[in-house]
Amino acid sequence: MILTLLKREIRLINRKRSELLNPIVFFILVTVLFPFGVSPEPALLQQIAPGVIWVCALLSVLLSLDSLYRDDFDDGSLVQLLMAGVAPGLIVLAKSMCNWLFTAIPLIIVSPLIGIMLNLSDSAFWAMVVSLLLGTPSVCLIAAIGMSLTVGLRKGGILLALLVLPLYVPILIFGAMAVNAATMGQSYSGQLLFLAAILVFTVSMAPWAAGAALKISVSE
Amino acid sequence: MKSSFSLIGEQLALFRGDRLLFKQCNFDLSNGETLQIKGENGAGKTSLLRMICGFLDPDEGKLNFNQTSLLKDRSEFYQQTLYLGHQLGIKSNLTVAENLAFYIEINGASQRCDISEAVDKVGLAGFENQLVAHLSQGQKRRVTLARLLLEEAVLWILDEPFVALDVKGQHWLQNTLGEHAKAGGGIILTSHQAIELEVPIKSLTLQGGGQ
């Protein structure tokens, strides 16, 4: 059943590829602006690079969510899926997987380039890529909870950010800490393990929470 | 032969905010029966359908499907029903055939006829591989009606199914509804127009603040 859902999501995403570009363009633009706004000093850039990359990645993922959920809500597809007996958690899981594949993966692919631009030290590249790989699925899943709660509201954008950003704080701290530690040549496996633990927790809990929220949203 | 079912609503009441939509609403439906829900705009027809479908909880009363309460377990109900509401539930970025194929697949039930045959019957021959975005309102409605022909469901729950259909389409839909009822299926629908089927139609009138 989840394969059917995934196939549909991928087909829908494929039909409006221009929307895929939004988060990645946002990510690149914002990170590019930092050296102009803060300072082009390589030493300073190296220091702020982990935080900048992580914060921008979080916000880019938030930017990509709206159409993924709202279209299905507005055209009644969500009601039809629930009436077909599909577990709401499964709908969320399929959407989050697509969200990760088509938003987070492109970000991770361009992140080494951004790293070079922000003078991230060579030793931190792997830490950055792996921490993003481990952290972004949790980001997508937590965002799904917020999106499921606010999809029925006409202007849920700010509310979504308010609900979800506090939950991102641990991911942001451990993600940026892993990259920082690698920059200074220290071991960063502890931070990565924390990210992995958060991932296990969100994968097992978030779809269910978001599914329940989705059901409430459909019932207004 | 369709599998047998029974749907019974007893003493149902529903509030929206602090406004009473209806109370003491009773109905029962089984194989071969058609129930038309009537009432003025805002009387709660759509809300009653949404309540039967599980998207609103009644404030009072019981709702049983095959002797089990719908408020507790809906898995069997969902397998045997098809709900078509105001929102069509078809994606405008997919083609007609893709939309229909998705619903057949996700329902997991046996398919009653070919997609192309169903598309033909609802009068959309040649539009199979068109994006739904390029269709008119009435044609989109016909896409959803094709699901009636494709999916195996005993109970059809239809919210204003005649909206946006032309005279020919309305005629076709009445025939289809009649055939379904004669074959032992059940139908619940809301409609403002008089419907003529070859089988008797029960009616339920919702009035503001009570039945």
Side-chain angles (χ1 to χ4, degrees):
Chain A
M1 201 177 247
I2 192 157
L3 284 180
T4 316
L5 289 173
L6 279 175
K7 221 166 65 189
R8 167 173 174 275
E9 293 292 345
I10 291 171
R11 194 174 270 163
L12 283 169
I13 289 171
N14 235 328
R15 295 274 156 90
K16 38 178 189 185
R17 276 185 220 142
S18 59
E19 276 184 33
L20 277 180
L21 283 175
N22 288 345
I24 188 91
V25 169
F26 175 83
F27 181 68
I28 294 170
L29 283 181
V30 174
T31 45
V32 163
L33 285 178
F34 263 89
F36 294 109
V38 182
S39 147
E41 186 70 46
L44 183 68
L45 282 180
Q46 185 164 45
Q47 227 176 1
I48 62 167
V52 168
I53 291 174
W54 258 97
V55 169
C56 292
L58 286 182
L59 295 178
S60 311
V61 170
L62 266 191
L63 198 69
S64 68
L65 274 175
D66 203 59
S67 68
L68 199 60
Y69 285 81
R70 198 168 301 280
D71 286 356
D72 269 359
F73 181 82
D74 286 342
D75 67 16
S77 300
L78 216 47
V79 168
Q80 289 298 337
L81 286 177
L82 294 172
M83 282 294 290
V86 184
L90 215 55
I91 301 174
V92 173
L93 199 59
K95 283 189 179 297
S96 301
M97 281 165 88
C98 282
N99 187 214
W100 186 70
L101 277 177
F102 290 95
T103 309
I105 290 287
L107 293 186
I108 295 170
I109 291 171
V110 300
S111 65
L113 274 178
I114 305 294
I116 292 172
M117 199 184 64
L118 295 176
N119 192 31
L120 192 70
S121 66
D122 299 343
S123 55
F125 276 137
W126 280 114
M128 179 183 64
V129 171
V130 177
S131 69
L132 283 173
L133 274 174
L134 281 173
T136 44
S138 306
V139 170
C140 293
L141 283 161
I142 291 174
I145 303 179
M147 200 58 226
S148 302
L149 277 170
T150 55
V151 71
L153 308 174
R154 228 159 278 286
K155 292 206 171 92
I158 285 295
L159 189 58
L160 171 69
L162 277 174
L163 280 172
V164 161
L165 286 178
L167 298 174
Y168 283 171
V169 170
I171 303 172
L172 175 62
I173 290 175
F174 286 115
M177 261 171 70
V179 188
N180 264 326
T183 315
M184 294 183 275
Q186 298 164 349
S187 146
Y188 51 88
S189 56
Q191 288 88 337
L192 290 186
L193 285 175
F194 259 108
L195 284 178
I198 294 172
L199 176 58
V200 170
F201 182 70
T202 49
V203 165
S204 49
M205 304 299 268
W208 288 207
L214 208 56
K215 201 123 199 241
I216 294 171
S217 285
V218 170
S219 314
E220 297 161 290
Chain B
M1 192 60 208
K2 310 263 178 200
S3 57
S4 69
F5 80 97
S6 73
L7 177 70
I8 301 169
E10 272 175 43
Q11 299 289 322
L12 292 165
L14 186 69
F15 286 87
R16 292 300 260 162
D18 48 11
R19 196 169 68 93
L20 174 70
L21 277 184
F22 52 80
K23 64 178 180 184
Q24 292 169 344
C25 166
N26 295 298
F27 62 87
D28 65 288
L29 194 74
S30 59
N31 291 79
E33 293 184 319
T34 302
L35 177 69
Q36 183 178 11
I37 299 167
K38 296 176 184 167
E40 295 165 13
N41 294 126
K45 300 185 294 294
T46 297
S47 298
L48 178 59
L49 292 191
R50 286 176 66 86
M51 187 162 98
I52 295 171
C53 291
F55 298 109
L56 286 174
D57 280 335
D59 292 293
E60 268 172 43
K62 284 187 251 171
L63 203 52
N64 286 334
F65 185 74
N66 293 352
Q67 280 83 46
T68 36
S69 172
L70 276 184
L71 305 178
K72 291 191 189 113
D73 179 20
R74 287 188 175 270
S75 49
E76 194 188 354
F77 174 77
Y78 282 154
Q79 265 169 29
Q80 300 199 14
T81 50
L82 180 56
Y83 167 68
L84 300 182
H86 284 286
Q87 294 169 314
L88 301 175
I90 48 174
K91 306 300 290 183
S92 50
N93 283 328
L94 298 182
T95 66
V96 172
E98 282 168 345
N99 267 300
L100 295 172
F102 169 73
Y103 279 119
I104 294 167
E105 207 175 322
I106 202 78
N107 272 305
S110 51
Q111 189 177 341
R112 287 169 64 199
C113 64
D114 266 356
I115 289 180
S116 56
E117 195 185 328
V119 171
D120 259 4
K121 277 191 190 160
V122 294
L124 290 176
F127 286 94
E128 230 177 308
N129 296 317
Q130 287 271 336
L131 289 184
V132 169
H134 299 159
L135 301 184
S136 78
Q137 210 54 39
Q139 286 173 319
K140 284 180 190 166
R141 178 63 71 165
R142 284 163 186 260
V143 176
T144 63
L145 293 175
R147 292 183 56 198
L148 297 176
L149 303 174
L150 285 165
E151 292 169 33
E152 198 73 60
V154 182
L155 177 58
W156 292 354
I157 302 175
L158 311 172
D159 199 354
E160 299 283 357
F162 293 99
V163 165
L165 288 183
D166 55 25
V167 177
K168 229 169 106 188
Q170 295 184 0
H171 214 75
W172 172 84
L173 182 57
Q174 289 208 10
N175 283 337
T176 310
L177 294 178
E179 278 166 29
H180 180 66
K182 269 195 289 186
I187 301 166
I188 302 179
L189 78 166
T190 64
S191 180
H192 288 290
Q193 70 184 73
I195 304 169
E196 286 164 31
L197 302 183
E198 294 164 46
V199 289
I201 301 176
K202 290 183 176 180
S203 81
L204 172 70
T205 309
L206 297 176
Q207 284 162 358
Q211 198 188 339

